[in-house]
Amino acid sequence: MNATRLAQSAYRDQSRSVRTDRGLEYDAFARITQRLVHAAGQDPRDIANLVAALHDNRRLWTILATDVADPQNPLPQSLRAQVVYLAQFCHHHSSAVLNTNASLQPLIDINTAIMRGLSDRRADQ
């Protein structure tokens, strides 16, 4: 391995280690939201991609709801309650998408709004 590759490898590893929790949350939302957008543009008969995207989105929201339910979570109580409400809505609406062909757009919009909020907070730090 030459010196340039060694330097690139060292820099790349360091850049990963300084990521904030907020940055990791943003990346998770971005990745899953992109999957929802992709599923929304696919043939409705391609159920596998739709189910996988919805499942990942539900898992993300379950993790968030579990995190804010922890009494040690430092977020204000009102914000924690809003996150739980959004998690419940996302779970319910995901079922509606699967059962009644409801639109994915509300889920995409919610995730995008969360990403916007996470992005604004990252810029403030």
Side-chain angles (χ1 to χ4, degrees), residues 22 25-27 29-30 33 105-106 108-124:
R22 190 166 281 124
E25 289 171 350
Y26 180 92
D27 290 345
F29 270 103
T33 303
Q105 198 59 51
I108 294 167
D109 291 345
I110 289 169
N111 286 9
T112 301
I114 296 293
M115 289 166 47
R116 196 170 20 257
L118 289 169
S119 179
D120 288 346
R121 286 189 176 174
R122 287 192 327 185
D124 292 342

Side-chain angles (χ1 to χ4, degrees), residues 16-94:
R16 286 187 190 136
S17 66
V18 294
R19 299 192 69 160
T20 64
D21 288 342
R22 190 166 281 124
L24 293 172
E25 289 171 350
Y26 180 92
D27 290 345
F29 270 103
R31 202 170 36 255
I32 290 170
T33 303
Q34 183 57 40
R35 292 188 66 200
L36 291 171
V37 168
H38 178 74
Q42 294 297 306
D43 183 337
R45 294 172 293 184
D46 184 10
I47 194 77
N49 283 331
L50 174 63
V51 169
L54 288 170
H55 174 72
D56 288 345
N57 194 55
R58 280 178 165 170
R59 284 181 44 207
L60 175 61
W61 280 102
T62 299
I63 290 167
L64 290 172
T66 302
D67 186 48
V68 299
D70 183 347
Q72 301 300 318
N73 188 294
L75 291 175
Q77 183 64 35
S78 61
L79 181 56
R80 293 167 56 191
Q82 290 171 345
V83 170
V84 170
Y85 170 78
L86 286 172
Q88 291 171 337
F89 174 84
C90 289
H91 281 265
H92 176 75
H93 192 76
S94 294

